Amino acid sequence: MRYLITLVCALALFACGNKNQFTLEGNIKGVEKDKIVLGTFQGREMVGIDTAEVVNGTFRFERESLPTGSYVLRLLESKVSLGGIFENGNLTLSADIKNAERGYIPEITLQGGKNYDLADRFNNMQYEILKHEKYANAADIAAKIKKTKDHEEYVALKEKLNALAPKLEEEVKAAQLKLVKENVDQYFVTQVFWIVQQITSPEDVKAIYAQLPESSKKSERVVTVMEDIKAKERIQPGKTAPNFTLKTPEGEDLSLSDLKGKIVLVDFWASWCKPCRASFPHMKELYQKYHAKGFEVLGVTNDTNHKAWKKAIKDDGIPWLNVADEFPIQHSPAKVISEYGMDYLPSTVLIDREGIIIAKLLHGDELDQKLEELFGF
C-alpha cells in the first residue's frame, strides 16, 4: 500500500513537471531538409536560443522551460521566418512555406498554447461574431475583406459591411475588451495593448494597465502605449506646447520657442502623405491672409528621405518654415510627433503667442473659424 501511494505521488510530480516543460512539434510543408533556429528579438536583432534539424518538414524543440513570450523561428537555408506566442506545454505548429511573403510566413496553426489562442481570438473577433445568425447576410463580404489585398476593393467592401452591419464594430470592440479584462494576467494582453488603446478610452486603458502583472507593465508595447497616453494628456488646450529643436532644409537649427510672439500652426506632414499635400493650397491662402498679422506655420516632416522632403517643398511652393523630425531609434516613430501624441498625418497643433496650446487637429473649416476668431477677420 505504501508503495502504491509513493508511486501515485511520483506520477503526480512527474505530471506537474511536464507542465513546466516546453515542447514544440512542428511541420512546415514544402521544406524537405533545413535547419531551424528558435529565437527572440532584442531590439531589432534576433538572438538564437536553440536549433533543430528539419527533416521532411518536421522538427522538434524540447526544453526544461521557456518563458512565455513572442518567439521567431528561422529556416537558415530557406531564409524564411515565422513566429508566434510560445509558452510551456506541448505545442504543435504547422505552416506552409508557399504562403511566405517577403521571407515571412504570416499564417500558421499553433495548438496547445493558451496565449496564442487568446491573441488569435482577439484578432479574429469580428469573424467569430459574424458566425452569429443575425450576421448571416454579411459573412460573405467579411470573408472577401479578409482575403483581398487590393486597397480600393478593401475600402468598397468595408463600406458594404458597415451598411449591412452598422453595429458590428461596436460589438467587436466590446467583445475584445471583455476578453482582455477576463484574461488581464495573461501575456497576450501585452501584444494587443496598442489595439486596446484604439478601441477604448484612456481612462479604461489606465484601469487595465493597473491590473497588469509587473512583468507585463515592462513590455515595450505597453510602455509605448502608456507614454503615448501621457503625451496626449500633455497636448491639451491650455497647456504649454513642448519645445523642440529640429533642422531646417538648409541644415540650421530652428526651435519652436524661436517663434514665441506669433500664432503658430504646427503641421505634421510627409512628402508621401497625399492628404497632407492636398491641404497645402488652402493653407497657403490662410498663410497669405494672416502672416503679416503674426501667423506662422511650422511644418514638421515625418520623412526619413530628406531628398523627397525638400523636393516636395519646392514642387508645392511651400512658403512657410519647415523642419525635419528625428528618428533616434531606427524603425520606430519619430521623436517630436511622438512627444505630441499624434497618431496620423496630417495632424496640427495651434499655439498662441505665449506658447500655450489653443487647439489641436484643426483642418479645413474648423481651422478657418478659429483663425477668424483669433485675428478678428
Side-chain angles (χ1 to χ4, degrees):
M1 183 70 176
R2 182 176 296 174
Y3 171 78
L4 180 59
I5 292 173
T6 303
L7 179 60
V8 170
C9 289
L11 288 172
L13 287 171
F14 178 73
C16 291
N18 279 345
K19 290 180 181 178
N20 294 322
Q21 187 176 23
F22 169 74
T23 302
L24 175 63
E25 297 274 2
N27 182 276
I28 304 177
K29 188 177 179 181
V31 180
E32 294 185 5
K33 188 176 181 181
D34 209 325
K35 182 169 283 188
I36 193 165
V37 178
L38 167 65
T40 187
F41 278 97
Q42 291 184 2
R44 300 293 170 181
E45 297 295 324
M46 178 182 171
V47 178
I49 297 171
D50 204 350
T51 60
E53 297 293 331
V54 181
V55 180
N56 295 325
T58 63
F59 63 90
R60 176 185 174 90
F61 286 104
E62 186 173 334
R63 299 175 63 82
E64 288 185 4
S65 182
L66 187 76
T68 302
S70 296
Y71 292 89
V72 62
L73 296 169
R74 176 70 174 172
L75 290 163
L76 295 183
E77 293 183 17
S78 302
K79 296 181 180 180
V80 170
S81 299
L82 58 157
I85 300 176
F86 298 161
E87 58 193 287
N88 286 335
N90 297 314
L91 309 185
T92 303
L93 180 149
S94 61
D96 193 329
I97 198 168
K98 75 177 183 181
N99 293 327
E101 299 175 4
R102 298 180 181 179
Y104 187 80
I105 303 176
E107 295 182 12
I108 68 168
T109 299
L110 183 67
Q111 297 177 328
K114 180 178 181 178
N115 277 277
Y116 182 85
D117 288 345
L118 286 168
D120 187 60
R121 187 180 170 197
F122 180 95
N123 291 323
N124 290 286
M125 188 64 72
Q126 175 173 290
Y127 303 100
E128 182 176 322
I129 291 175
L130 281 168
K131 292 177 183 177
H132 298 172
E133 187 176 346
K134 64 179 180 178
Y135 289 124
N137 61 339
D140 288 344
I141 293 176
K144 291 178 181 178
I145 290 174
K146 193 172 184 180
K147 292 179 181 179
T148 186
K149 294 182 180 180
D150 182 84
H151 178 70
E152 291 184 3
E153 183 183 17
Y154 174 85
V155 171
L157 289 170
K158 260 297 206 181
E159 289 178 356
K160 288 183 180 179
L161 181 62
N162 291 337
L164 288 171
K167 294 185 178 180
L168 175 62
E169 188 172 342
E170 293 178 13
E171 192 171 344
V172 170
K173 290 178 180 179
Q176 288 176 320
L177 278 175
K178 184 172 183 290
L179 186 68
V180 166
K181 291 177 179 180
E182 289 176 347
N183 297 277
V184 73
D185 61 329
Q186 296 298 315
Y187 170 84
F188 96 98
V189 176
T190 67
Q191 303 303 290
V192 301
F193 205 64
W194 66 276
I195 301 177
V196 173
Q197 181 191 17
Q198 296 175 1
I199 65 177
T200 191
S201 67
E203 290 70 28
D204 205 12
V205 175
K206 288 189 280 189
I208 294 171
Y209 174 81
Q211 299 178 57
L212 294 177
E214 289 303 314
S215 58
S216 293
K217 289 180 179 179
K218 296 175 183 177
S219 164
E220 181 181 350
R221 296 190 181 194
V222 172
V223 169
T224 299
V225 167
M226 298 311 294
E227 287 179 348
D228 185 63
I229 289 175
K230 289 179 182 178
K232 285 179 168 58
E233 290 174 343
R234 288 195 304 269
I235 308 301
Q236 294 295 333
K239 296 194 175 184
T240 301
N243 189 35
F244 56 84
T245 302
L246 296 171
K247 297 289 186 182
T248 67
E250 294 74 33
E252 298 177 355
D253 287 340
L254 177 63
S255 300
L256 177 63
S257 58
D258 294 338
L259 304 178
K260 195 169 184 179
K262 298 183 178 182
I263 301 292
V264 179
L265 180 72
V266 178
D267 178 42
F268 293 97
W269 71 288
S271 65
W272 43 262
C273 170
K274 292 182 179 180
C276 300
R277 298 179 70 171
S279 71
F280 291 163
H282 182 59
M283 284 178 63
K284 286 182 186 179
E285 294 175 2
L286 295 176
Y287 185 79
Q288 185 176 6
K289 183 177 180 180
Y290 296 114
H291 182 59
K293 299 296 183 180
F295 177 58
E296 187 58 76
V297 178
L298 177 59
V300 180
T301 186
N302 210 239
D303 278 288
T304 54
N305 183 344
H306 286 188
K307 185 177 180 180
W309 166 52
K310 293 173 184 178
K311 185 176 185 299
I313 292 173
K314 182 179 179 181
D315 290 349
D316 293 356
I318 300 174
W320 50 80
L321 299 171
N322 267 279
V323 290
D325 210 340
E326 297 174 342
F327 293 82
I329 302 175
Q330 192 176 14
H331 305 302
S332 293
K335 178 183 176 182
V336 175
I337 196 171
S338 297
E339 290 176 350
Y340 273 69
M342 297 300 165
D343 297 323
Y344 54 84
L345 299 177
S347 290
T348 62
V349 180
L350 189 63
I351 303 167
D352 74 10
R353 300 179 192 275
E354 299 302 318
I356 305 300
I357 296 170
I358 300 171
K360 62 179 184 177
L361 304 177
L362 294 180
H363 301 282
D365 292 341
E366 289 182 334
L367 179 58
D368 290 358
Q369 292 170 11
K370 180 56 70 173
L371 292 178
E372 287 177 12
E373 176 186 319
L374 291 170
F375 289 101
F377 67 97

